Amino acid sequence: MKITKVETHLVSAPLAHSWETGIGSAKQRDELLVFVHTDEGITGIGSSYHAHAGLAMKAVVDTKVAPAVIGLSPLDIGAIWEKLFYGTVYIGSAGVQGLAGIDIALWDILGKVSKQPVATLLGGGGVEYVTAYVGCMSLGFKAHDKLVEEAQGYVSEGYKALKIRGGAGVKQDVAAMRAVRKALGDDIDLMIDVNARYSWPEAVDLSKRLQELDTYWLEDPFDFSIPNHHDEVGKLRSMGLTPIASGGNVYSRFDYRNLLERGGVDYLTPDVVKSGGFSESLKMAHIASAHDCIIAPHTLNGLGQVANLHFAAAVPGHIRGYVEWDPTSPNPLRDELMTNPVKVKDGKLYVPTGPGLGTDINPDVLKRLQASGSHEIAMQARTRRWNT
């Protein structure tokens, strides 16, 4: 079996309402789909992170990543991963995110050939479901009564953990968390993600204030805590304040090693569409296992959520945490684009049991959702109290 063609499609669907966060406003969902075709008629599907620059990432896959795999055996997954990783070193994290879609598609092919779910091939056999927390494009900036109403709706659906979007300002973030905590009581795990919006002193201040609200975690607390400043993340954690989560934008096992060895975090949040696909994400989970650090997979849209569900099932059980999930509707990338959408009940995500990823792409919906090239989130400049 040989790879004959790699095809990419950037898809997009409008949101019913604008989603407001500290990094900007979103009016749509985007996903970069990757199709790996073979000479035996088997096609694997994958997803590469759009990086809020979908056309640029499509070009990375089309012009840099895809040509390197034509003519290779799709079953040589490890060798292909190394070829792509070291062959894209000069474009940094864009290369890792670009090759993720290829890697996911290759595992999908292996599953289809062997007639096994990817979760089983990765070592997650026997895991029927994983537990979700509500995240992604939910619980953004809004009036407290509306935020509480949204949160209560998810709890009524059976979810036991929710993530509020922060970054509006330390006092505003605490007030939003307090309103939701008061409404939901003490039995719901409540997180906050501030999307790296704060200076060091603001992050420390926020972490102190969040303790009184029994905050489950504070995610990406300060500027550059996403790809850099591993020492400072560890320093904040060592202060024993609110537990720290990070890793959704840390792209390889080498970065994870640094993040953990320099003080670490309480929760690591890899995403297979960002972190080099299944092959690299599983290595990152094993590094976390050696450090006894919880893995709580980050997810995005559509096929990426399906892929992360297979990955979550394969995370060693003693460190498997919540899995991010977007229950907001309408969501055609989740409900219409997939021929076999993920089954959800009482906050549990059921691992697909069909061969490969357990789903294919609906070609009619794929045509309908072709993206125009605008970005999911128009990123905005950082501001501070003293320059606003």
Side-chain angles (χ1 to χ4, degrees), residues 166-189:
V170 172
K171 292 180 180 179
Q172 294 93 320
D173 288 355
V174 173
M177 289 286 285
R178 182 175 289 115
V180 176
R181 173 60 78 200
K182 180 179 179 180
L184 300 186
D186 297 330
D187 294 332
I188 299 299
D189 289 331

Side-chain angles (χ1 to χ4, degrees), residues 16 25 27 29 32 82 122 128 136 183 189 197 206 223-224 228 244 252 256 272 289 295 314 335 382 388:
S25 300
K27 294 180 171 56
R29 308 175 196 273
L32 179 58
E82 291 215 352
L122 295 173
E128 181 183 4
C136 302
D189 289 331
R197 290 299 294 173
L206 178 61
D223 274 344
F224 312 115
N228 306 302
I244 302 297
S252 74
Y256 266 46
V272 297
S289 174
I295 290 281
D335 299 330
R382 299 285 195 263
T388 58

Side-chain angles (χ1 to χ4, degrees), residues 110-186:
L110 179 60
K112 290 172 177 174
V113 169
S114 65
K115 297 181 172 55
Q116 295 291 327
V118 168
T120 299
L121 297 175
L122 295 173
V127 178
E128 181 183 4
Y129 63 82
V130 296
T131 305
Y133 77 84
V134 174
C136 302
M137 291 184 164
S138 64
L139 299 166
F141 296 172
K142 57 179 63 178
H144 290 174
D145 59 337
K146 297 296 183 182
L147 184 64
V148 166
E149 181 182 1
E150 183 182 357
Q152 289 174 326
Y154 299 135
V155 172
S156 71
E157 295 172 14
Y159 294 97
K160 304 295 185 184
L162 286 70
K163 185 168 78 176
I164 307 299
R165 288 290 163 173
V170 172
K171 292 180 180 179
Q172 294 93 320
D173 288 355
V174 173
M177 289 286 285
R178 182 175 289 115
V180 176
R181 173 60 78 200
K182 180 179 179 180
L184 300 186
D186 297 330

Side-chain angles (χ1 to χ4, degrees), residues 93 196 220 222-230 246 249-251 255:
S93 62
D220 288 335
F222 54 86
D223 274 344
F224 312 115
S225 62
I226 299 175
N228 306 302
H229 286 223
H230 299 158
S246 192
N249 296 290
V250 181
Y251 302 103
D255 291 323

Side-chain angles (χ1 to χ4, degrees), residues 315-333:
V315 170
H318 72 107
I319 60 162
R320 185 188 305 125
Y322 288 116
V323 180
E324 187 171 21
W325 183 251
D326 189 341
T328 59
S329 291
N331 186 348
L333 272 66

Side-chain angles (χ1 to χ4, degrees), residues 50-62:
H50 55 65
H52 303 293
L55 292 178
M57 286 305 304
K58 187 178 188 301
V60 167
V61 179
D62 290 343

